[in-house]
Amino acid sequence: MKKNFYSLAGAAVVLALASCNKSEVTSVPVPDAISFRTHVGMATKAAPKTAFAAGDKFNVWASYDNAGSVSRYFLDNFKFDGSYWYSDSTPYYWPSEVDASHPMTFHAVWPETVARPLAADAFSYAVVDAADSQKDVLYAKHVSATRETSGVSLNFRHTLSQVLVKARNSSGTLKFEVSGIKIAYVNKTGDFKALSVASSTTDERDNANLAQSDWTVTDGAASASRSYVQAGMSASVAPDAAASVLGEPWMLIPQVQAKADSYTSSAADAPMDGAYLAVKMTVKNASDGSVVASERWCCWPVALNWTPGYRYTYVINLADGGFEETNGDDGNDDLDPVLENQEIFFVDCTVDAWDVSDNNVIL
C-alpha cells in the first residue's frame, strides 16, 4: 500500500517594529532610575506578538557584579507607559560602580503573567490546550557596562515555535468538510534556559536566535494521547482548491519528534508511535453531495523539528486520504488508509460489435 502523508514546512517572515515616542513629558526617564527601551525581533521569526502596547508588563531579573560577587539586584516587573518601561512597584537606581569590570546584566521575560524567572535566564512554562489562549513568550538579555540613563535597549526574541496547518484538495470530484484539526505526540511543558544567548540591544536586532537546546521538556516521553486539538470549526475545501489555513496557529514548545509509523489494515490496534497531524473531515462527492466517509479523523505522519522563533506551515492534501484513527482520541490508535481504493471506478470497458442481420427490410 502507499504511504499517504504530505507535509511541507517553512519559515515565514513577519515584520515587527516597536516605536519610541519621546514627545510626552511623562516619558522622560528619571535620572539614574533604571528603565528600558524595547524591540521585538523580526527577520525569520513569526508570532502573534510583534510590538508592545501601553500597559504591557515584563519581568526583569537584574544581577550586579560587585567586587567579583554576582548576586541578584532585583526581580520585578516593568510596565510600559507608551515610550519607556519603568518599575511597576518601586524605582531601581544604577549603582555608581557599574563599569566594564562590574557590569549589570538584565534578563527579561514577557508576559509577566506566564513566565516568572526561576533564575537569571531560566523559567518553566506549560502550553495551555486551547490554541486561541496560547501565549507568545519573549525573552531578552542585555549586559550594561555603564549606567544607561537614557534607558536600556532590549531586543526580545520568541522562545516558542508557531505551527500552522493548511489544507488543499487535488481531487476534481471530492470536497471535504473539516470540523477539527489535531497535532499529536508532542511535549507540552518545559524549562527554558538561554544557554547560548549573547547580550542583545535594539542595535543588534534579529541576531543570536534562540536555540532548540535552550529548552528541556519536563513532561516525560511524548505519546499519542498528548495532543492539541481544535474542534468545532467549519471549513469546506472544494475540488482542486489551493492551500488555505485551517483553524488557529499553535504556539508550542520547540522540540524534535519522529513521525508516526504507518500501519497497514492488518496491523489492527497497533499503537501510534510518533508525531502526526490529523484532520476531522467528512468526504463528499462534489457533484451530488453524497457522503463517501463521514466524520473521520484522518492522520498524516510528520517528523517535527522545531526551533524557537520560527513558523512551521504544514500543507496537507486532503485528497490523499491519510490514515484513519480507528480508535479516535483515546491514545490507542492504529493507522488504516481512509480513501485508498474507495473511489468507485471502472476498468476494461468494451463495446460489443454490431450483429449482422440477414433479415434486411426492403421497402
Side-chain angles (χ1 to χ4, degrees), residues 271-303:
M272 299 281 279
D273 184 18
Y276 63 91
L277 292 164
V279 177
K280 190 174 186 180
M281 63 188 186
T282 293
V283 188
K284 294 183 178 181
N285 285 309
S287 59
D288 59 10
S290 60
V291 175
V292 177
S294 180
E295 290 292 292
R296 303 283 188 88
W297 274 110
C298 305
C299 312
W300 281 262
V302 58

Side-chain angles (χ1 to χ4, degrees), residues 28-110:
V28 178
V30 177
D32 289 335
I34 296 175
S35 63
F36 297 94
R37 295 176 285 115
T38 58
H39 175 79
V40 181
M42 49 185 205
T44 54
K45 310 174 197 124
K49 190 67 173 178
T50 58
F52 291 111
D56 278 347
K57 298 179 183 180
F58 55 67
N59 279 313
V60 178
W61 176 294
S63 60
Y64 170 52
D65 186 342
N66 185 12
S69 177
V70 179
S71 60
R72 188 177 80 186
Y73 185 48
F74 64 82
L75 171 59
D76 206 345
N77 60 59
F78 277 59
K79 186 175 181 179
F80 192 37
D81 71 354
S83 294
Y84 295 92
W85 301 75
Y86 297 96
S87 169
D88 197 36
S89 57
T90 182
Y92 297 96
Y93 295 92
W94 289 93
S96 59
E97 296 86 356
V98 171
D99 57 25
S101 300
H102 306 88
M104 179 81 77
T105 301
F106 302 96
H107 302 270
V109 180
W110 181 94

Side-chain angles (χ1 to χ4, degrees), residues 68-361:
S69 177
V70 179
S71 60
R72 188 177 80 186
Y73 185 48
F74 64 82
L75 171 59
D76 206 345
N77 60 59
F78 277 59
K79 186 175 181 179
F80 192 37
D81 71 354
S83 294
Y84 295 92
W85 301 75
Y86 297 96
S87 169
D88 197 36
S89 57
T90 182
Y92 297 96
Y93 295 92
W94 289 93
S96 59
E97 296 86 356
V98 171
D99 57 25
S101 300
H102 306 88
M104 179 81 77
T105 301
F106 302 96
H107 302 270
V109 180
W110 181 94
E112 91 289 351
T113 56
V114 298
R116 189 73 174 178
L118 299 175
D121 56 355
F123 58 85
S124 294
Y125 186 64
V127 178
V128 300
D129 287 334
D132 57 2
S133 297
Q134 291 172 354
K135 298 284 188 179
D136 189 0
V137 180
L138 308 177
Y139 169 80
K141 176 183 177 181
H142 180 79
V143 179
S144 294
T146 183
R147 290 181 292 168
E148 301 185 38
T149 56
S150 62
V152 177
S153 294
L154 289 178
N155 182 31
F156 279 85
R157 298 178 171 107
H158 305 284
T159 67
L160 300 176
S161 299
Q162 188 181 110
V163 176
L164 190 65
V165 177
K166 290 186 176 182
R168 69 182 185 92
N169 178 7
S170 65
S171 170
T173 58
L174 297 175
K175 69 176 180 178
F176 300 85
E177 295 178 355
V178 177
S179 58
I181 58 174
K182 172 165 58 175
I183 187 164
Y185 215 89
V186 292
N187 287 105
K188 293 188 170 186
T189 66
D191 288 340
F192 173 87
K193 184 173 177 60
L195 301 174
S196 60
V197 180
S199 174
S200 67
T201 72
T202 54
D203 295 326
E204 299 165 344
R205 296 173 183 173
D206 314 308
N207 296 325
N209 284 0
L210 299 176
Q212 192 178 74
S213 59
D214 292 331
W215 280 96
T216 302
V217 297
T218 56
D219 54 345
S223 66
S225 61
R226 194 168 294 151
S227 63
Y228 290 97
V229 181
Q230 297 184 45
M233 68 178 61
S234 179
S236 181
V237 186
D240 299 316
S244 59
V245 176
L246 294 180
E248 300 290 330
W250 282 296
M251 299 294 303
L252 304 178
I253 291 177
Q255 58 194 277
V256 176
Q257 303 291 352
K259 70 181 179 183
D261 293 330
S262 300
Y263 299 107
T264 65
S265 57
S266 62
D269 299 324
M272 299 281 279
D273 184 18
Y276 63 91
L277 292 164
V279 177
K280 190 174 186 180
M281 63 188 186
T282 293
V283 188
K284 294 183 178 181
N285 285 309
S287 59
D288 59 10
S290 60
V291 175
V292 177
S294 180
E295 290 292 292
R296 303 283 188 88
W297 274 110
C298 305
C299 312
W300 281 262
V302 58
L304 309 180
N305 190 356
W306 299 336
T307 298
Y310 284 86
R311 174 189 290 152
Y312 296 91
T313 300
Y314 296 91
V315 181
I316 298 173
N317 182 9
L318 299 181
D320 183 56
F323 297 92
E324 181 182 4
E325 278 190 317
T326 56
N327 292 317
D329 297 320
D330 62 4
N332 186 30
D333 304 320
D334 59 276
L335 293 172
D336 289 327
V338 174
L339 295 180
E340 188 173 66
N341 296 328
Q342 287 200 5
E343 181 179 355
I344 297 174
F345 60 95
F346 302 91
V347 296
D348 297 328
C349 295
T350 61
V351 178
D352 281 346
W354 290 102
D355 288 336
V356 178
S357 174
D358 292 329
N359 297 318
N360 296 328
V361 177

